């Protein structure tokens, strides 16, 4: 898989499941560019935030050619803006020309927990269409609690290794207790190591940070491309600041109207759809490790493989053995993009011969585990944001047990594991601040929502729902596999999005690409 494309896919991998970085170096300093429309009246500054909106960004070199970095100061608690600050890391690559600069284009890869700066430097600012990069300053801010922006930390590397190996399909009361305790240890570690920032990493707060950055960049409107969870962030911005919406692309959309149980169960069904597509492709090949008769046979063999790992983990060439939980995560990681399917077939074949290294590598990429045994903060931030944004899916183990049959109906292959993974917020140390609700963003400029018909992490029906909720939403459909659609090889999709970003003209309603 192309390294830049691989990074983009993995950065958007988490979606809603409860389930790469260059530091800045000192250099020359410049101020923010002038407003794109100096004669237009500036939007009003929210009460109590004038000093934050008046700060001057001091840009410096990043250690990555062509990029500049800076730090933005935001209130830790927007309800008490005099109660302390949080520092947010920002990076940009200025418009290359030719053509008149349109403004800044913020990007977010999803997660929650994916580093927007890493996504910018490794993909967006070098891989987005040249005509888009020519006319926009490409900009990213790592959301509060993520990567360079005062990251949430929960577990040490060895603790995280142990956490990822805990059996998520418990067979008896002892294993249920072990799994439940692992979630409690994770939550307790977050509180111990990141207790100050933990209550203030919600999507609403991050959306407010984006508006401040918009103003500091000198833009009257926010232009934005968000993928996966980034669509929820973009939609939340539109809800809070509809008059400041510029050109918003929401690719691989989430549905903000669903509660945590519905989100997790429907995402489970999305992964089943993706697995069925993988299996249908696999059984056509003579070397398919899941048989060569039918997708139903492939699913049966996949479940049997997971059960065998549960009983007998296999060697990996690492101190860790491939457990059922790590093997399942490895398979899930390959569901995000069809270009990973050959790698998955090879890894499954090797695992059946007793070598689990291929699946372990896929699992490690999903968890962002580094070769030295440390982890990026992706999983920590993912839980911290999700557990703030919605009330927990389940209050305890009995509720999960009752829900398992519904999850298994959604996905015979992954259902049980996904149901138990959704227990992770039950003992979260900070109460949730968000609730499920429709987002209409009345008064916003046209917003483009993109949905992929066999998207595993953000099912197509979510894009349909979000486009319907948004007062100015326009749905673009990509008939295909994988997570998200823009920049994945469809000229039809890319042309529609590029035209919107460059000219402000949204695609016609009902536009479908393949």
């Amino acid at each position: 898989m192309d390294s830049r494309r691989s990074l983009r896919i993995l950065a958007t991998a988490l979606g809603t499941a409860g389930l790469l970085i260059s530091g800045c170096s000192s250099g020359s300093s410049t101020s923010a560019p002038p407003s794109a429309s100096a004669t237009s009246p500036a939007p009003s500054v929210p009460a109590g935030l004038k000093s934050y909106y008046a700060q001057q960004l001091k840009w410096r070199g990043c250690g990555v050619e062509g990029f500049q970095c800076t730090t933005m100061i935001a209130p830790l608690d927007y309800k008490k803006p005099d109660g302390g600050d949080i520092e947010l890391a920002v990076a940009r690559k200025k418009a290359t020309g030719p053509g008149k600069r349109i403004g800044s284009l913020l990007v977010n890869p999803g997660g929650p927990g994916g580093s927007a700066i890493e996504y910018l430097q490794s993909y967006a600012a070098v891989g987005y269409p040249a005509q888009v990069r020519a006319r926009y300053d490409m900009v990213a801010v790592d959301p509060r609690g993520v990567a360079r922006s005062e990251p949430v930390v929960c577990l040490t590397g060895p603790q995280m290794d142990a956490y990822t190996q805990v059996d998520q399909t418990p067979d008896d009361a002892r294993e249920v207790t072990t799994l439940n305790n692992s979630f409690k240890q994770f939550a307790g570690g977050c509180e111990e190591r990141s207790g100050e920032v933990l209550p203030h990493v919600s999507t609403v707060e991050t959306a407010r940070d984006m508006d401040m950055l918009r103003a500091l960049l000198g833009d009257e409107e926010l232009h934005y491309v968000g993928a996966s969870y980034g669509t929820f962030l973009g939609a939340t911005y539109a809800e809070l600041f509809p008059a400041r919406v510029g050109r918003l692309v929401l690719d691989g959309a989430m549905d903000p109207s669903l509660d945590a149980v519905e989100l997790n169960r429907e995402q489970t069904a999305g992964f089943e759809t993706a697995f069925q597509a993988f299996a249908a492709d696999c059984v056509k090949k003579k070397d398919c490790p899941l048989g060569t008769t039918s997708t139903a046979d492939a699913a049966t063999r996949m479940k049997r493989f997971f059960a065998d790992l549960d009983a007998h983990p296999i060697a990996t060439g690492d101190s860790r053995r491939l457990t059922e939980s790590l093997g399942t995560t490895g398979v899930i990681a390959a569901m995000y993009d069809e270009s990973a399917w050959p790698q998955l077939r090879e890894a499954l074949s090797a695992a059946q011969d007793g070598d689990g290294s291929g699946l372990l590598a896929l699992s490690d990429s999903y968890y962002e585990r580094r070769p030295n045994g440390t982890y990026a903060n992706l999983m920590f931030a993912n839980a911290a944001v999700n557990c703030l944004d919605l009330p927990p899916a389940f209050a305890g183990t009995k509720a999960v047990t009752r829900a398992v049959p519904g999850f298994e109906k959604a996905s015979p292959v992954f259902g049980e594991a996904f149901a138990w993974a959704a227990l992770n917020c039950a003992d979260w140390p900070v109460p949730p601040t968000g609730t499920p609700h429709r987002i209409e963003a009345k008064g916003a400029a046209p917003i483009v929502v993109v949905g992929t018909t066999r998207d595993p992490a953000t099912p197509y029906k979510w894009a349909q729902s979000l486009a319907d909720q948004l007062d100015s939403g326009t749905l673009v459909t990509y008939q295909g596999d994988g997570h998200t659609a823009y920049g994945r090889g469809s000229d039809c999709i890319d042309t529609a999005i590029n035209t919107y970003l460059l000219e402000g003209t949204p695609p016609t309603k009902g536009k479908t690409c393949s």
Side-chain angles (χ1 to χ4, degrees):
M1 190 188 301
D2 175 80
S3 60
R4 290 203 302 263
R5 190 181 186 199
S6 174
L7 173 68
R8 181 182 68 82
I9 295 298
L10 291 173
T12 62
L14 295 182
T16 61
L19 237 197
L20 354 182
I21 299 173
S22 301
C24 295
S25 61
S26 60
S28 62
S29 173
T30 61
S31 60
S35 169
S37 179
T39 60
S40 301
S44 60
V45 174
L49 300 178
K50 288 185 178 180
S51 63
Y52 291 100
Y53 273 73
Q55 66 187 290
Q56 295 294 312
L57 298 181
K58 301 297 183 180
W59 296 95
R60 59 191 184 277
C62 287
V64 180
E65 186 177 356
F67 289 87
Q68 297 174 312
C69 286
T70 191
T71 300
M72 180 178 79
I73 307 299
L76 178 65
D77 185 350
Y78 274 96
K79 294 180 180 178
K80 300 176 181 178
D82 57 351
D85 298 333
I86 186 169
E87 294 186 357
L88 307 177
V90 182
R92 76 176 177 189
K93 187 174 185 181
K94 300 190 76 172
T96 59
K100 182 179 179 181
R101 176 183 174 275
I102 295 172
S104 305
L105 182 64
L106 269 67
V107 296
N108 183 281
S115 170
I117 291 178
E118 180 66 12
Y119 174 74
L120 177 80
Q121 293 179 341
S122 298
Y123 179 73
V126 293
Y128 271 30
Q131 61 268 41
V132 173
R133 293 182 282 119
R135 299 187 60 197
Y136 282 100
D137 292 346
M138 301 293 294
V139 180
V141 53
D142 276 350
R144 49 178 60 212
V146 173
R148 297 182 175 104
S149 294
E150 302 196 18
V152 172
V153 178
C154 301
L155 301 177
T156 66
Q159 287 174 329
M160 191 64 182
D161 278 348
Y163 177 79
T164 62
Q165 295 177 68
V166 174
D167 188 353
Q168 291 201 343
T169 57
D171 300 315
D172 53 38
R174 179 184 60 83
E175 290 188 350
V176 168
T177 298
T178 299
L179 178 58
N180 195 37
N181 287 341
S182 75
F183 289 134
K184 290 181 178 180
Q185 180 190 28
F186 186 101
C190 297
E191 183 178 30
E192 178 183 351
R193 294 176 174 89
S194 301
E196 183 179 9
V197 72
L198 210 59
H200 303 294
V201 294
S202 70
T203 298
V204 167
E205 289 162 306
T206 295
R208 298 194 70 172
D209 295 336
M210 287 204 310
D211 188 64
M212 187 184 302
L213 178 57
R214 168 204 60 76
L216 297 179
L217 292 169
D219 292 329
E220 298 288 345
E221 299 173 326
L222 179 79
H223 305 305
Y224 174 82
V225 177
S228 195
Y229 160 80
T231 67
F232 179 47
L233 177 57
T236 299
Y237 180 90
E239 180 179 39
L240 293 172
F241 306 103
R244 301 175 195 173
V245 167
R247 301 168 191 179
L248 262 62
V249 177
L250 309 180
D251 185 11
M254 286 179 58
D255 183 351
S257 70
L258 300 179
D259 64 29
V261 174
E262 294 171 311
L263 280 169
N264 280 278
R265 187 170 54 232
E266 290 189 6
Q267 188 179 63
T268 302
F271 276 96
E272 181 67 22
T273 298
F275 176 79
Q276 290 295 322
F278 163 73
D281 177 75
C282 185
V283 298
K284 297 175 184 177
K285 296 173 170 55
K286 292 182 180 180
D287 64 345
C288 177
L290 299 177
T292 56
T293 56
S294 68
T295 56
D297 180 52
T300 299
R301 293 185 181 219
M302 189 80 263
K303 289 185 66 177
R304 187 183 306 147
F305 172 75
F306 289 150
D308 289 344
L309 283 181
D310 190 22
H312 304 289
I314 61 176
T316 64
D318 187 276
S319 60
R320 296 166 296 157
R321 298 179 70 80
L322 187 74
T323 62
E324 179 188 14
S325 56
L326 289 172
T328 301
T329 303
V331 173
I332 287 170
M335 292 296 100
Y336 286 93
D337 190 275
E338 64 272 24
S339 68
W341 292 355
Q343 181 183 358
L344 177 58
R345 290 197 303 270
E346 183 178 343
L348 286 171
S349 295
Q352 290 174 356
D353 291 333
D355 177 8
S357 60
L359 282 175
L360 182 64
L362 283 166
S363 177
D364 284 351
S365 68
Y366 183 89
Y367 284 121
E368 292 197 355
R369 185 185 191 271
R370 304 182 184 101
N372 66 1
T374 63
Y375 288 76
N377 93 307
L378 173 64
M379 288 293 166
F380 309 143
N382 181 261
V385 176
N386 282 335
C387 294
L388 264 189
D389 279 350
L390 286 176
F394 302 116
T397 58
K398 291 182 179 180
V400 180
T401 301
R402 290 193 297 268
V404 164
F407 276 72
E408 290 185 315
K409 183 178 180 181
S411 173
V413 176
F414 304 116
E416 183 180 7
F418 273 53
W420 283 102
L423 183 63
N424 71 320
C425 292
D427 292 292
W428 200 248
V430 181
T433 56
T435 57
H437 64 283
R438 291 174 59 86
I439 292 181
E440 298 180 356
K442 291 183 178 180
I447 299 171
V448 175
V449 179
V450 186
T452 298
T453 54
R454 293 185 294 278
D455 190 315
T458 52
Y460 175 63
K461 64 190 295 186
W462 291 0
Q464 292 176 301
S465 179
L466 180 59
D468 181 65
Q469 291 173 45
L470 289 168
D471 191 55
S472 60
T474 296
L475 176 66
V476 179
T477 299
Y478 174 57
Q479 293 181 333
D481 297 294
H483 187 37
T484 72
Y486 183 48
R488 296 192 59 235
S490 169
D491 288 339
C492 176
I493 289 289
D494 291 354
T495 298
I497 300 307
N498 293 342
T499 299
Y500 170 66
L501 290 175
L502 295 171
E503 301 176 11
T505 305
T508 57
K509 287 188 178 295
K511 185 173 183 61
T512 299
C513 300
S514 59

